[in-house]
Structure formats: C-alpha cells, structure tokens
Amino acid sequence: MFVNSKKTLDNKDVSILLVEDDPSVAGSVIDGLEHAGLTIIHVDNGTKAIAAAGKSHFDLILLDLGLPDMDGQDVCRAIRATSDVPIIILSARSEEIDRVLALEFGADDYMVKPFGMRELIARIRAVSRRAGSLQESPTQTVNQTIGSLVIDRRAQRVFLSDVEVHLTPKEFDLLAYLANDPGAVFRRNDIMTEVWDTNWYGTTKTVDAHVAAIRKKLGHQEWIESVRGVGFRLSAPAS
Ligand code: CA
C-alpha cells in the first residue's frame, strides 16, 4: 500500500482508496486526483482492498472489477457488509456491468473505462454529495457556468453575460447551493439547513425573500423556479 500524497481540501482531508491492478490506469487516476487536491491510497488487489477498508477511514472507494485475486463484485460486497463508504466501480467495457447490477452488489455508481478525469471528479463529487460527505468538492474551485451565468466560488463573485452581479453573502450562498446541481429541485428544509444554519428555527419566508432578491438581480424570474410544495431549482431561462 502506498500513500501517494497527503493534501487538504478546505482544511479537510479527503482520502480515496483506489483499488486497481492496471498500473497505467492507476497512474493516471492518481495523477488526476492528486492534482484536484485529494489524498489517494492505492492497492492493487482485492485482499489488500478489504484489509485497507477495514483498517482506515476513506471518504470514497474507487474499485476496479477485474482484479487478480478476486472479483471486484465480491470485494464490494465484503466492504459493504461493514461500511457505508461510497463506492464507485471502475469497469472495463468487456465486463458488461450495468448500473442496476452495480447497485445490487452495493456500489453507488460505476464508470466504464476509458474515462476522463473531469468526468471521474464530477462523479466523485456527485456520489460524495449524496453520501453527505465532501461538502466542498475539488471542482468547486473552478468557475461554474450555467447558461450566461458564471459562478466563481473561490472569489464569491457572480457574473451574468460577463457583467458582475452583486449579491449579499447569503444570496451568494443560496445561489451557489442551488448551483451544486442545476436543474435539480432542492427542498426548502435542506436549503435552510445548508445555507443558513443546522439549527434553524426561523420562517421559510426568509428563503422566499432571498430567492426573490436573486431573481431580481439576475433580471429573470425563470433562473430560480419554485416547485410547489417542494422547494426550488436553478436553471437557465429558456429564452
Ligand atoms: Ca483490472
């Protein structure tokens, strides 16, 4: 087992266990994820993977299916028997895995090789978000573009058609939260918990007031759509 790097991401160590016997695949994944500021621990067979997962905490596991000593599906089941750690399967095309099968043996997602690093990081981000870990993702340091809207999370600035939109800190936090998954509906209670405070006792009117203010500043109601009885979603206006 090799510790390839020890880096922090927003003061939080994010460690990923990579289980991959192909040195060239492992090398490129390690390079890409280290570049994104993640800590990678690499093992090259199933026995070591199960041992490592039992011994240390990982934020996420990337698991190759075709391993020299045992089937990756069995590795996944063995880890899943004792841990809720998010698992993304790395599958060669010839292995004919599908999402349903992956979910059946306890994986959270799968990627078919060859894959690009941007896609891998996006999947890691999505799976981690669903798992409730990794609140700050590696790609959040890069400007995000939604239609004509650009969100710079690092500088906390927002641009619409290259013109800066001046938001209050809470308006920015709310917009950035909805932008975590453009098009997805976020529930009011989740918005209040995530954007305001984990011990929120206030009224949901606060959310509505901030949504109204952001809509006004973006100049179009459709940027933030109200979903009756549920919450809000962010998407670029059709027109
Ligand atoms: Ca393999």
Side-chain angles (χ1 to χ4, degrees):
M1 188 158 76
F2 307 99
V3 177
N4 291 92
S5 77
K6 188 73 178 168
K7 292 178 183 174
T8 60
L9 184 67
D10 297 317
N11 300 320
K12 182 181 183 296
D13 277 328
V14 177
S15 66
I16 293 183
L17 177 64
L18 170 65
V19 187
E20 172 61 75
D21 63 310
D22 181 329
S24 68
V25 174
S28 63
V29 170
I30 289 166
D31 284 350
L33 297 188
E34 281 189 351
H35 189 69
L38 306 173
T39 299
I40 315 302
I41 308 248
H42 173 220
V43 296
D44 59 7
N45 70 38
T47 308
K48 290 181 201 169
I50 293 168
K55 203 172 69 179
S56 309
H57 165 81
F58 294 98
D59 294 293
L60 188 138
I61 295 176
L62 298 174
L63 176 62
D64 177 31
L65 278 191
L67 295 166
D69 59 335
M70 56 193 290
D71 193 308
Q73 294 188 25
D74 295 327
V75 177
C76 188
R77 285 194 193 92
I79 293 172
R80 188 53 82 228
T82 59
S83 167
D84 290 331
V85 61
I87 299 173
I88 298 178
I89 298 293
L90 307 178
S91 162
R93 207 166 282 279
S94 60
E95 286 158 351
E96 291 289 338
I97 186 177
D98 64 34
R99 194 175 294 268
V100 174
L101 177 60
L103 292 173
E104 274 175 5
F105 60 76
D108 296 275
D109 203 354
Y110 76 100
M111 296 195 63
V112 175
K113 298 171 189 172
F115 48 78
M117 285 311 302
R118 285 176 68 94
E119 189 191 354
L120 177 60
I121 290 169
R123 294 286 187 92
I124 289 172
R125 185 181 169 195
V127 166
S128 301
R129 194 171 55 233
R130 286 201 296 274
S133 62
L134 250 180
Q135 294 292 329
E136 299 299 324
S137 74
T139 50
Q140 285 185 352
T141 56
V142 179
N143 287 353
Q144 183 182 3
T145 303
I146 304 157
S148 54
L149 184 69
V150 175
I151 300 173
D152 180 348
R153 292 172 191 268
R154 194 170 47 81
Q156 299 228 336
R157 296 173 78 183
V158 173
F159 300 87
L160 190 63
S161 303
D162 295 329
V163 178
E164 182 160 13
V165 179
H166 296 280
L167 300 179
T168 67
K170 270 298 176 235
E171 288 166 3
F172 180 88
D173 290 346
L174 174 54
L175 182 66
Y177 179 67
L178 296 176
N180 278 324
D181 197 353
V185 182
F186 288 87
R187 294 171 53 241
R188 277 170 183 278
N189 285 341
D190 292 339
I191 293 170
M192 287 191 290
T193 302
E194 295 293 328
V195 179
W196 272 267
D197 190 76
T198 48
N199 300 305
W200 173 266
Y201 300 108
T203 160
T204 60
K205 293 284 182 227
T206 303
V207 179
D208 295 86
H210 281 75
V211 165
I214 297 169
R215 281 173 174 158
K216 196 173 173 189
K217 289 179 179 180
L218 295 180
H220 206 307
Q221 293 284 317
E222 286 182 23
W223 275 108
I224 301 178
E225 183 189 346
S226 302
V227 181
R228 187 185 287 268
V230 186
F232 297 95
R233 83 170 124 230
L234 176 69
S235 60
S239 53

